[in-house]
Amino acid sequence: MEWSKRLKQLISVLLPPAIWLGAWQLGAYLVELHVEGRGNELLLPYPATVLAALLTLAGEPAFWGTIFATLGRILAGMAVGTLLGSLLAPLTCRWSWADRLLSPAIRVIRATPVASFILLLLLWTHRGTVPAIIAGLMVLPVVWENLCRGLGETDGQLLELARAYRFSRGKTLRLIYLPSLRPYFLSAITTSMGLAWKSGVAAEVLCLPRPGMGTEIYNSKLYLEIPDLFAWTAVVVALSLMLERLLRWALHRAKGGVDRG
Amino acid sequence: MVELQEICVGFGDKQVLDHFSLSLPLEGITALQGPSGCGKTTLLRVLSGLERPRSGRVLGLSPQETAVLFQENRLLPWRTVRQQITDVLPRSRHEEAQRWLEVVELTGEEDAHPSTLSGGMARRLALGRCLALGGRLYLLDEPFAGVDPERAARIMGRLKELALPILLVSHEPAILALADRVLLLNGPPLTLI
């Protein structure tokens, strides 16, 4: 009984990726069948070829340096974007003049195509800092908007209680605002992180900082090393998923800190 | 004594307190009895400073000297029973918190969160928190709503023993019977019968 349950669980976990890998394998086989010459090398390599390329890349010392450089840039940008969004939200919610001044600017940031920002920033600043700024610009409006909504929806009765019970500003922040805003913050970060990560790598593809995963993706395409392009893309996807899990774990742990006060 | 002089409070066209005056002693338990919506809660809100009157004044008591128990429990969902009490104490004094939990008969529930409490327990916790806050006058709006009558009478007896200055709103005869004085009210606008 226990074994059949575990087997079912294992199948439910492994079956979806196996189906997608099978579809990929089939696609590569069809390319090999119908495209003459280097079809697999140039259009769609086999999964095993990509895995081999990934293992070769992972064996090079520069591989990890490249990953950490990209991670560092994008995480730094996200951190600054999160901080700015968290500071601007109470400012624009508290003072109407700040809202009138800053809200349109933040909305323009959100509506502007990311490619326009990348190219403009490339003109204005160093190529290495563009991905960080882009990641920050992706995070800032989402954090700002979510926190503004959270602040607006903070229970008015609890805020009145804080007033009647003579809570200091710090105590009101710690006991009422922070726990109330936590789900809004969590939602903002998890929503914007994938966006920031993808946009940051896209910025690297256009700006070519060294070292950088986006630069490697661009070079793979330039030199028609398609298995390497797939391998780098797989690393980007894996890191995105890992970061999301890590973030959820960290925020879950932080919840304890807030609750303990 | 606390003196309410010519207090006027209105919401839109509705005048809830219209030149209302009253003298209240800052000792013993005073109960307010009257029909729903007559203005009892508004009176407590004026005394606690949460409602600013259009005109009139309160003498002999500042809002900072009151401890108010709202009609709703207003417990912080993310804080435990003990934390709800220690949060209103100047420092996290566990012994004092424990004392108030004993008064409202919540010992053994210290680590529970509000979502796991029954309606009556949550009400007693809100009452315990108000008592822990302290003040020259406790303003209790329906303090025993949802609390079983026997327990309510026991807790009321303890409040009398502690000689806390209380102004409470209640409809329950058993509670009113334990008060030192009962003011019968009608309205709106609020009038003393």
Side-chain angles (χ1 to χ4, degrees):
Chain A
M1 191 66 187
E2 189 67 22
W3 275 106
S4 71
K5 204 174 170 183
R6 279 189 188 175
L7 192 67
K8 269 187 188 174
Q9 263 184 346
L10 198 68
I11 289 171
S12 70
V13 170
L14 293 180
L15 196 60
I19 288 173
W20 288 113
L21 272 176
W24 180 2
Q25 179 78 17
L26 182 68
Y29 174 70
L30 289 175
V31 167
E32 189 179 9
L33 215 60
H34 295 289
V35 180
E36 287 179 12
R38 301 163 61 198
N40 281 121
E41 271 181 59
L42 296 177
L43 290 176
L44 184 63
Y46 280 102
T49 314
V50 173
L51 183 66
L54 183 61
L55 291 175
T56 309
L57 286 173
E60 294 169 11
F63 176 78
W64 299 102
T66 305
I67 286 179
F68 285 122
T70 297
L71 257 178
R73 278 187 204 110
I74 294 177
L75 287 181
M78 280 186 67
V80 173
T82 304
L83 186 71
L84 279 177
S86 306
L87 292 174
L88 290 178
L91 198 72
T92 52
C93 288
R94 177 71 180 81
W95 289 288
S96 57
W97 62 264
D99 185 43
R100 281 198 297 274
L101 183 73
L102 295 169
S103 296
I106 298 172
R107 290 200 173 91
V108 166
I109 289 174
R110 196 173 43 193
T112 306
V114 69
S116 307
F117 265 129
I118 295 170
L119 296 174
L120 281 172
L121 286 168
L122 191 55
L123 294 175
W124 296 337
T125 183
H126 184 260
R127 62 178 62 214
T129 53
V130 176
I133 299 173
I134 289 297
L137 288 177
M138 294 297 110
V139 173
L140 189 151
V142 183
V143 170
W144 169 77
E145 189 173 28
N146 270 36
L147 290 186
C148 276
R149 204 168 71 237
L151 284 168
E153 288 174 12
T154 301
D155 191 338
Q157 289 196 337
L158 293 185
L159 294 175
E160 191 181 56
L161 172 98
R163 208 149 41 95
Y165 280 47
R166 304 180 277 281
F167 284 7
S168 63
R169 279 185 186 176
K171 203 174 203 178
T172 306
L173 180 74
R174 186 169 60 86
L175 294 182
I176 296 174
Y177 279 116
L178 290 183
S180 302
L181 290 176
R182 192 183 161 271
Y184 295 91
F185 183 73
L186 181 67
S187 158
I189 293 291
T190 45
T191 307
S192 60
M193 204 194 68
L195 201 64
W197 181 246
K198 280 192 285 190
S199 308
V201 173
E204 284 192 345
V205 171
L206 288 175
C207 301
L208 307 177
R210 283 194 176 276
M213 290 167 74
T215 309
E216 295 303 324
I217 288 174
Y218 179 81
N219 287 339
S220 306
K221 177 240 160 197
L222 190 67
Y223 300 117
L224 298 176
E225 289 165 350
I226 306 306
D228 281 7
L229 174 62
F230 271 76
W232 278 113
T233 307
V235 174
V236 170
V237 171
L239 278 173
S240 175
L241 295 175
M242 268 172 52
L243 278 178
E244 194 182 318
R245 287 213 163 189
L246 195 70
L247 193 75
R248 281 182 190 277
W249 174 82
L251 288 168
H252 182 75
R253 276 183 67 94
K255 177 181 180 274
V258 169
D259 279 357
R260 279 191 300 275
Chain B
M1 291 288 275
V2 52
E3 292 271 347
L4 289 111
Q5 290 184 345
E6 298 286 318
I7 301 285
C8 289
V9 177
F11 304 104
D13 294 339
K14 190 178 170 188
Q15 198 68 13
V16 181
L17 301 184
D18 188 11
H19 298 279
F20 182 80
S21 297
L22 182 69
S23 296
L24 288 167
L26 284 172
E27 58 185 22
I29 298 177
T30 306
L32 303 178
Q33 189 192 10
S36 297
C38 74
K40 305 182 295 291
T41 297
T42 305
L43 178 63
L44 297 194
R45 287 180 66 83
V46 168
L47 285 164
S48 62
L50 295 170
E51 201 66 63
R52 189 178 285 229
R54 283 178 186 167
S55 61
R57 54 188 184 162
V58 178
L59 298 173
L61 184 76
S62 76
Q64 286 74 33
E65 294 173 319
T66 62
V68 62
L69 171 68
F70 293 96
Q71 231 169 22
E72 314 83 18
N73 294 325
R74 304 194 188 188
L75 300 170
L76 305 181
W78 37 81
R79 305 294 282 170
T80 64
V81 166
R82 182 185 281 120
Q83 286 170 334
Q84 309 269 352
I85 306 284
T86 53
D87 284 345
V88 302
L89 294 170
R91 273 176 289 280
S92 287
R93 287 182 286 193
H94 281 237
E95 283 145 32
E96 193 175 342
Q98 201 59 36
R99 188 164 69 86
W100 290 116
L101 287 175
E102 279 166 22
V103 169
V104 295
E105 302 188 6
L106 274 175
T107 45
E109 301 291 340
E110 290 83 351
D111 298 321
H113 280 86
S115 59
T116 65
L117 301 178
S118 69
M121 288 162 102
R123 192 65 188 148
R124 283 185 276 135
L125 176 55
L127 173 62
R129 180 179 61 180
C130 172
L131 297 173
L133 178 66
R136 283 179 66 215
L137 183 62
Y138 292 87
L139 306 166
L140 312 182
D141 201 347
E142 303 275 9
F144 300 109
V147 180
D148 63 90
E150 281 180 25
R151 198 191 292 270
R154 275 203 308 272
I155 295 172
M156 188 72 174
R158 279 187 210 115
L159 299 186
K160 284 196 81 161
E161 281 170 24
L162 290 167
L164 299 175
I166 291 172
L167 176 65
L168 66 84
V169 170
S170 183
H171 297 285
E172 293 158 54
I175 300 301
L176 296 170
L178 289 168
D180 296 310
R181 61 199 75 82
V182 178
L183 303 180
L184 296 175
L185 301 162
N186 209 344
L190 191 70
T191 47
L192 204 58
I193 299 172

